[in-house]
Every structure is written in structure tokens, then in C-alpha cells.
Amino acid sequence: MRKNREQQKKGMVRQLSLFDDQIKPADSHDGRTGSGFSTGVELLSQLESQRTLTENLLEAVVDYGNLRNAYQRVRQNKGSAGIDEMDVEALGKWLNKNLITFRETVLAENYEPGPVRKVIISKPGGGERMLGIPTVKDRMLQQAVHQILSRYYEPLFSENSFGFRPGRNAHQAILQASKFISSGKEWVVDIDLEKFFDNVNHDRLMQRLSKGIGDKRLLRLIKSYLKAGIMSDGLTEQRIAGTPQGSPLSPLLSNIVLDEWDKEMEKRGHDFCRYADDCNIYVKSRKAGERVLNSMVKFLEQKLKLKVNRQKSGVRHCSEVTLLGYTLLEEGNIRVSDKSIKRLKDKVREITRRNRGVRFEQLIKELNAVIIGWANYFYLANRWLSELRNIDGWIRRKLRCYRLKQCGRRYTIFKLLRNLGVPENTSWNVVMYTQGWWAMSAKQAVGKAMGIKWFAQVGLHSLLIQIQR
């Protein structure tokens, strides 16, 4: 006999408490992935079997445990509010009062996603990227969908796909690419997809999803998210393509779209690494690379309805290609790319601006955060490390320059140098016969007084030492 609504509410008290402020670790994923399918027939057979097992998948999406984990993930990720201005803290309180109604609304297909808030950010390499920020309720429901769909699609994805996947990361992609190059495949087919996340074809994506998902209610929910408008300056524009970055579901959907490309490359026997929409194919000669490039462009544009940036795509020697911030050299050696070094130096310049007016100790703290984070990502580098030693020296000179300017007057600089052990005559010569702070920071006496040992004492980390750990 079906419980009446009052009985249901009483029985859900324990479930509602799942959304209290205390956060418990979400269920982990072991990161296992399948080795891919050798033929399209095998994949279609797997998807067909999967389809019959997923006819009531929406119930799993709104299962209390799954919603709890989705809520925890959204809260841990924080992020800004959507167009309704509800933040992640308010979401838990809202769920404690409205969880039952929320679940019933989703299951009855009466839930309507709100428009996403349009945000434009600058790309590290130049240009702009559009983000779409959903409301926190939509983020939680999308995360809940993501968690369920991942169980079915992760085992189907290629071993050469590394982006937006549990247990996989950029370092694994770099090491895989290094192996391909060390085997003699030094030529890279570098394919750039133009505004991939903005150009995903909705019809093809939904067709792909319908082959492996049997629950039409869930398919309609996903489609409603794809069609949700984008709000900017109070106006909402409808979306006919794309899965805007900023949505918890977009990474998985992008991998489902590009998995067709992965399967095509595997079928042709190509060695490749793909991280999200960044993909490099490794071949033994430029001539072979040109053939692969032409056929892949045709496949992407005609079959997947994606747009290839012809100007940025091409066949290049591995030493001319940047992959995830690294450049791979002959025999699979690894160095930090020139662009990554430039971005690091730009960040250091921003922190050490001489007119900032912050305490020297605060400057060291900010630089250490950048140095440690940068070194933790680029620790795979095993070539051109002398360049990092030079950057270490350049950072120290920037700091010397900042510290000297803090003193302001010549006599104050003189006292600083004397306190650091510089002889009196030498200290006067530095302050009386040097033009400009930058020139003064290069003086031998200044460099000796504020040398490597002194910077270690004030707490500055070394970029080179961090990399070599």
C-alpha cells in the first residue's frame, strides 16, 4: 500500500539530514578504464546491452545517496552563484526543506533548468573563452547525472584519452606521448578544434547518447540542459549548439562526443594522446602526417560536424609542438614549453611590481605559492633545466630590486647593505654611483649580500630544487 505524503515526509527525516553543513567524503572512483574496442561492432553491441540495462536510470540519478555525493562535490568545488544568486551554502538549506518535492519534480519531468550565466575569461595563450555558470541546483543535478553516466561510459573510453576522467591526468598523457616519440614517431599531427565546447552538435550528441541510454526521461533532461539559454546583461539567448564550460556535465559529454574520434583513430592503428579537445597523433614522417591530417580533418568535419582550425592545425616536428604546457624532444625527452615559461615570468612580474607597496614577507609568500604549484605540475621536465636555474636568478634579482626600492632613500639603502655585511665604502659606492633600482640590483655587492643563502633564510623556494625533488 502506498504511503501517504505525511508518512513519506516522516520517513525522509534521516535522508534530509544528508544535506546538513557537515561534509563527508564522496564515494571514490578507482579510475579503471577499458582498453577500448577493436571494432565498431563490438562497441555497438556493448551500447545495445547497456541500453537495455538503463531504462530506469533517472531513479538512480535522484537516489538519495547519489544526490548527497553530488551535493558534496558541488559544495567542495564552490564556484559562484548562477542567475538565481543562490550560493552553495544556501543550497543545503533549500534541499533540507525541498528534497522530496525536488525529486518528484525531476521524476515527473516537470523540472526546468534555468539559463546559464555568461562569463567571458581570457585564455592563457590569448583570445577569450566563454563559460556558462548554471545555478547551484542545476549544477547538483548535472553532477548527479554525471556520476551515474560515468559508470557506464568510463569503461568504454579509450586508453589514450586522459582529460576529465577519474584516475587520469595530464602527466599520464605527457608520459604516453613521450613513449610514442621515443619509439621513433617524432612527427606530430597537431589538430586544433575551433571553439569545441561551443560547437558540439546537439543532434549528433543526443543520437550518440540514445544508443547507450534506455531511459528517455533522462535523455530529455540532458537535452533540456543542452538547450538552456545563456543570460548576459539581463537578456537570454537560445543555444543551438555547444556544451558551455562551467557545467559539471560538459566534460563527460565532450568525451562521449570525441570518443567517436578515438575509436576511429584506434581502428586505423594510430598512436595518439587526447586530453579533452587537445589531440596529437604521432607518426614517423611528415608525409605520413600530411595524409593523416587530411583524413582526420575530413572525418571531424563531415562525420562529427566539428570545426577544425586550419591555421593552428598542422604537421610539425615534436620539438615545435606544445602539449599541455610541455614540449617533447627527440628520444622522448621532456622540457617545459616556451609559452609556459613566459606565463611564469609574466606572473612573477605581476607579483613583484615595484609599486605594489606590500610587505617583503608577503611577496615571498605569494611567490612561493606560484613556484611550488608550477614545479608540482612541471616536475616531469628532464631537459633544459639550466633555463630554470636562470629563472631562479632572475626571480632573486626582481626581489632585490623590490627590497631596495622599499628602502627609498639612499641612506636607508646604505644601512640595509651595512646590516647585511657589506663594507662601508662599498655600500656608499653602490648607493652613490648607480642609476636606477634595476641597475643597483645587479651590483656584485648587492648580489652577494642578498644571495642564495640569504633568500633561503627569508623563506624563498628555489624553482630548480622544487623541480628536481
Side-chain angles (χ1 to χ4, degrees):
M1 183 176 179
R2 182 176 295 178
K3 292 183 179 180
N4 61 35
R5 192 168 181 81
E6 276 309 309
Q7 290 173 319
Q8 282 183 325
K9 287 183 178 180
K10 289 179 181 179
M12 295 305 168
V13 171
R14 184 177 64 83
Q15 299 290 355
L16 291 171
S17 66
L18 294 171
F19 298 95
D20 287 342
D21 287 343
Q22 185 175 359
I23 290 292
K24 299 177 181 178
D27 293 340
S28 62
H29 192 291
D30 61 9
R32 289 178 294 178
T33 181
S35 58
F37 291 80
S38 58
T39 68
V41 175
E42 290 179 22
L43 178 60
L44 289 174
S45 175
Q46 178 74 10
L47 288 172
E48 185 62 31
S49 300
Q50 176 177 296
R51 192 171 184 275
T52 61
L53 297 172
T54 56
E55 293 179 350
N56 296 299
L57 209 56
L58 193 57
E59 277 77 8
V61 169
V62 296
D63 171 79
Y64 290 106
N66 190 54
L67 286 176
R68 176 199 64 193
N69 291 340
Y71 165 72
Q72 290 174 349
R73 182 62 61 86
V74 168
R75 188 175 176 197
Q76 288 164 355
N77 291 341
K78 298 181 180 179
S80 56
I83 61 167
D84 62 354
E85 298 185 353
M86 178 186 285
D87 61 22
V88 290
E89 296 300 325
L91 176 61
K93 297 176 183 178
W94 184 88
L95 286 168
N96 277 324
K97 296 178 181 178
N98 299 281
L99 178 60
I100 296 171
T101 304
F102 177 73
R103 294 181 72 253
E104 290 175 348
T105 302
V106 174
L107 289 171
E109 297 189 78
N110 291 325
Y111 182 81
E112 295 184 5
V116 299
R117 182 165 59 86
K118 185 177 181 179
V119 177
I120 302 296
I121 63 172
S122 299
K123 295 169 68 174
E128 294 180 334
R129 174 182 289 120
M130 186 193 79
L131 299 182
I133 309 299
T135 65
V136 286
K137 283 185 282 188
D138 285 336
R139 293 213 294 271
M140 186 192 71
L141 187 53
Q142 286 192 43
Q143 180 63 35
V145 173
H146 183 288
Q147 290 166 181
I148 296 300
L149 291 189
S150 291
R151 300 176 188 175
Y152 294 92
Y153 282 96
E154 269 297 319
L156 306 180
F157 289 153
S158 169
E159 286 286 353
N160 292 329
S161 165
F162 297 92
F164 303 135
R165 298 184 60 190
R168 313 204 113 211
N169 56 47
H171 291 146
Q172 294 170 335
I174 295 299
L175 292 173
Q176 179 74 295
S178 176
K179 289 180 182 178
F180 291 146
I181 292 172
S182 62
S183 71
K185 297 187 175 183
E186 296 182 358
W187 290 91
V188 182
V189 181
D190 187 12
I191 298 179
D192 184 86
L193 295 176
E194 188 171 324
K195 294 184 178 179
F196 166 72
F197 286 92
D198 299 335
N199 291 322
V200 170
N201 185 283
H202 288 174
D203 291 336
R204 276 202 55 80
L205 173 56
M206 292 309 303
Q207 181 186 39
R208 182 77 171 175
L209 288 170
S210 66
K211 291 179 180 178
I213 300 175
D215 194 329
K216 293 183 178 179
R217 298 169 301 166
L218 179 55
L219 290 172
R220 285 191 285 268
L221 177 63
I222 293 172
K223 188 172 184 179
S224 70
Y225 276 121
L226 293 174
K227 298 294 183 183
I230 300 175
M231 180 171 285
S232 177
D233 298 326
L235 299 176
T236 302
E237 57 182 272
Q238 293 305 307
R239 194 164 73 238
I240 60 174
T243 59
Q245 296 179 73
S247 151
L249 197 51
S250 285
L252 177 62
L253 295 180
S254 68
N255 271 333
I256 291 173
V257 170
L258 293 174
D259 186 58
E260 286 191 74
W261 186 18
D262 296 341
K263 295 298 185 289
E264 182 68 18
M265 288 187 283
E266 288 176 347
K267 186 175 73 173
R268 300 185 188 191
H270 294 320
D271 288 331
F272 68 95
C273 285
R274 183 176 66 78
Y275 191 97
D277 57 329
D278 289 333
C279 183
N280 286 344
I281 307 171
Y282 299 88
V283 296
K284 290 187 175 181
S285 68
R286 179 186 288 275
K287 188 174 181 180
E290 295 290 352
R291 289 197 302 268
V292 172
L293 176 63
N294 292 333
S295 63
M296 284 294 105
V297 168
K298 185 180 296 185
F299 175 83
L300 288 164
E301 294 187 337
Q302 296 182 4
K303 182 79 181 290
L304 299 190
K305 309 300 181 185
L306 297 172
K307 198 171 183 181
V308 175
N309 188 325
R310 307 294 181 103
Q311 291 183 332
K312 293 185 178 180
S313 301
V315 180
R316 304 177 179 95
H317 190 261
C318 61
S319 60
E320 300 173 341
V321 177
T322 297
L323 176 63
L324 301 172
Y326 285 92
T327 293
L328 302 179
L329 307 174
E330 296 88 344
E331 300 180 358
N333 291 313
I334 304 170
R335 64 171 286 244
V336 181
S337 74
D338 293 335
K339 289 182 180 179
S340 297
I341 289 175
K342 181 182 181 302
R343 285 197 289 269
L344 171 65
K345 293 181 114 178
D346 288 343
K347 184 64 177 177
V348 171
R349 287 189 184 98
E350 180 185 338
I351 293 174
T352 58
R353 286 196 324 271
R354 295 198 290 273
N355 60 354
R356 283 192 66 197
V358 301
R359 292 168 55 241
F360 193 68
E361 293 79 6
Q362 176 63 25
L363 213 66
I364 296 290
K365 185 178 179 180
E366 291 179 24
L367 279 173
N368 280 341
V370 171
I371 288 170
I372 293 171
W374 198 87
N376 284 343
Y377 181 77
F378 288 106
Y379 74 88
L380 291 179
N382 57 17
R383 289 294 182 274
W384 291 34
L385 296 183
S386 60
E387 189 166 3
L388 303 184
R389 187 181 296 109
N390 294 336
I391 295 174
D392 261 343
W394 175 76
I395 291 174
R396 289 193 296 270
R397 185 176 175 187
K398 295 286 287 184
L399 287 170
R400 289 187 198 107
C401 192
Y402 187 92
R403 183 68 186 89
L404 292 170
K405 187 177 186 298
Q406 272 190 322
C407 295
R409 295 183 304 130
R410 289 178 175 179
Y411 184 67
T412 312
I413 297 171
F414 168 78
K415 287 200 302 182
L416 171 66
L417 295 177
R418 290 291 291 126
N419 289 335
L420 292 175
V422 180
E424 183 175 345
N425 288 340
T426 306
S427 297
W428 276 122
N429 286 335
V430 168
V431 299
M432 297 301 294
Y433 301 106
T434 307
Q435 298 295 320
W437 307 110
W438 187 244
M440 190 180 296
S441 68
K443 288 291 184 178
Q444 184 177 2
V446 175
K448 187 175 181 181
M450 290 185 270
I452 295 175
K453 185 177 180 180
W454 182 80
F455 277 110
Q457 289 173 347
V458 298
L460 180 68
H461 286 277
S462 163
L463 191 64
L464 184 62
I465 292 174
Q466 290 291 324
I467 287 279
Q468 293 178 325
R469 281 181 178 175

